[in-house]
Amino acid sequence: LVEALAATLARLVVAENEAGGEHPNASIYRALDRIVGPSGYYLESEPCLICNKAEAPFAEHKLEALKAEAKFTDSTQVVKLVCAQTIKRISVSISHVRRLKVVKTINFYYNNKPVADITELKGRWSLWKKTASLDLAPDQVEGSVELAIPIVATNIMIEFQALHEMPATVMAQRMLCPRCNRPVTDKHGICRHCRENAFQCRLCRNINYENLDAFLCNECGYCKHARFDYTLVCKPSFSVEPIRSEEDKQKAMLTLERESDNAHKSFQDISQYKRTLESLLGRSAASSSSDLPPLPLP
């Protein structure tokens, strides 16, 4: 029985090697292997149904790397992700902390409504679902929340809901000019040294006249009290929102057309690369393919 199994296995290996040797792109892969070494089979226009796994494992990603667009208010940050993500943990790291205002509670919201402009979701609380709340001690610089059930999100909103009450001596510290860093005593915020307005954002010079003492700049999101870095444990999601209206149908059709065009462009690029490689490597590889060893494993 063992000998029969070994003989069958040997025949299958030989058959698969012969099939690989007769592959249309085999000569190109062999020639590339001699030049750059085995690196994968990137000229194929059809995925392998055995080794091509659509499901990616969970991994850590910086929110900044997943961000396609962001908008801000004086206490929230609204982020549109480059694609839908299945999220199971959210972590925050806080640095460059000043003691005038210290965050006590951060709320995280999500939705999976595709939008062309993230401004459509700004300030519309009914479109958001609260997923987690993170409470921080006054001296805490790291925190994370593990979601009991992973969520699928296309957009994320971060809200700085509450601040710690700081001692009066800390709150009495003088306002500093964002340009020359000197104390400003003028009630209108005008620095007597450089004549700049101390209420302006250090980065974009925006002034939020509705809330001069805002925690975030409502234009660029800069926070003068601390720096916040977010990390998500997530993976790409292929789930979609159900189509409930004619507007949703039109958006879905536009998405299908766009992705179809992208797929066709990728197919044309692969075909062009193949023709270029054939021209550079020459057809001699194909004529001598029978004398070469089987295709290398990637």
Side-chain angles (χ1 to χ4, degrees):
L1 179 60
V2 175
E3 293 179 357
L5 289 175
T8 302
L9 180 60
R11 285 197 301 273
L12 290 174
V13 170
V14 171
E16 291 301 319
N17 280 340
E18 290 177 351
E22 295 172 358
H23 190 279
N25 298 325
S27 59
I28 298 178
Y29 289 136
R30 288 195 179 98
L32 287 175
D33 178 52
R34 292 196 298 268
I35 299 172
V36 298
S39 58
Y41 303 123
Y42 302 118
L43 299 178
E44 306 309 311
S45 57
E46 297 182 3
C48 174
L49 300 180
I50 297 175
C51 63
N52 184 58
K53 297 180 180 178
E55 282 292 328
F58 282 100
E60 289 190 352
H61 298 279
K62 294 289 186 181
L63 179 59
E64 191 68 24
L66 300 173
K67 180 177 71 177
E69 184 184 2
K71 296 292 181 182
F72 309 91
T73 68
D74 56 10
S75 62
T76 63
Q77 176 180 355
V78 183
V79 179
K80 176 183 177 181
L81 303 178
V82 291
C83 67
Q85 298 285 335
T86 301
I87 303 170
K88 73 173 184 178
R89 188 170 74 232
I90 304 173
S91 303
V92 59
S93 175
I94 309 173
S95 58
H96 302 93
V97 180
R98 296 180 64 193
R99 290 297 169 183
L100 293 180
K101 289 186 177 182
V102 179
V103 174
K104 180 180 181 181
T105 304
I106 303 177
N107 292 331
F108 298 96
Y109 300 81
Y110 77 99
N111 73 34
N112 48 9
K113 178 180 176 62
V115 291
D117 187 351
I118 195 68
T119 307
E120 299 177 31
L121 302 174
K122 186 178 176 181
R124 301 179 64 183
W125 290 89
S126 61
L127 299 177
W128 296 93
K129 300 175 183 177
K130 186 177 179 179
T131 183
S133 183
L134 177 62
D135 293 322
L136 300 168
D139 57 349
Q140 189 173 349
V141 294
E142 288 185 346
S144 64
V145 286
E146 192 85 24
L147 305 182
I149 301 176
I151 61 168
V152 176
T154 304
N155 311 289
I156 293 175
M157 181 168 67
I158 302 167
E159 178 195 20
F160 298 95
Q161 183 193 30
L163 303 174
H164 285 284
E165 293 185 4
M166 304 305 292
T169 53
V170 174
M171 299 303 296
Q173 291 184 19
R174 291 176 293 179
M175 178 170 52
L176 298 179
C177 174
R179 295 299 159 190
C180 66
N181 213 38
R182 293 179 178 178
V184 177
T185 57
D186 181 75
K187 65 178 182 179
H188 301 294
I190 303 300
C191 176
R192 64 187 181 89
H193 296 280
C194 65
R195 309 307 299 172
E196 289 284 357
N197 193 320
F199 292 115
Q200 67 179 298
C201 172
R202 285 179 177 269
L203 290 186
C204 68
R205 306 190 69 173
N206 170 68
I207 300 176
N208 184 356
Y209 289 100
E210 296 181 358
N211 186 357
L212 293 174
D213 198 28
F215 189 73
L216 298 178
C217 171
N218 62 342
E219 185 65 29
C220 70
Y222 174 75
C223 178
K224 63 183 178 182
H225 302 287
R227 176 178 174 177
F228 299 86
D229 294 305
Y230 302 94
T231 303
L232 307 181
V233 175
C234 59
K235 63 180 180 179
S237 172
F238 300 99
S239 62
V240 295
E241 278 281 270
I243 297 174
R244 295 190 175 94
S245 64
E246 187 66 26
E247 181 183 359
D248 291 345
K249 174 187 173 184
Q250 294 300 325
K251 288 183 179 180
M253 293 301 294
L254 290 174
T255 301
L256 285 172
E257 291 177 7
R258 182 175 65 252
E259 296 303 325
S260 179
D261 290 340
N262 290 339
H264 182 64
K265 183 179 182 302
S266 298
F267 176 79
Q268 289 180 320
D269 290 342
I270 290 175
S271 299
Q272 180 60 43
Y273 296 150
K274 180 181 176 181
R275 289 192 293 269
T276 302
L277 286 171
E278 287 177 343
S279 176
L280 292 174
L281 298 174
R283 300 302 299 177
S284 58
S287 61
S288 58
S289 60
S290 58
D291 300 327
L292 294 172
L295 285 175
L297 292 175

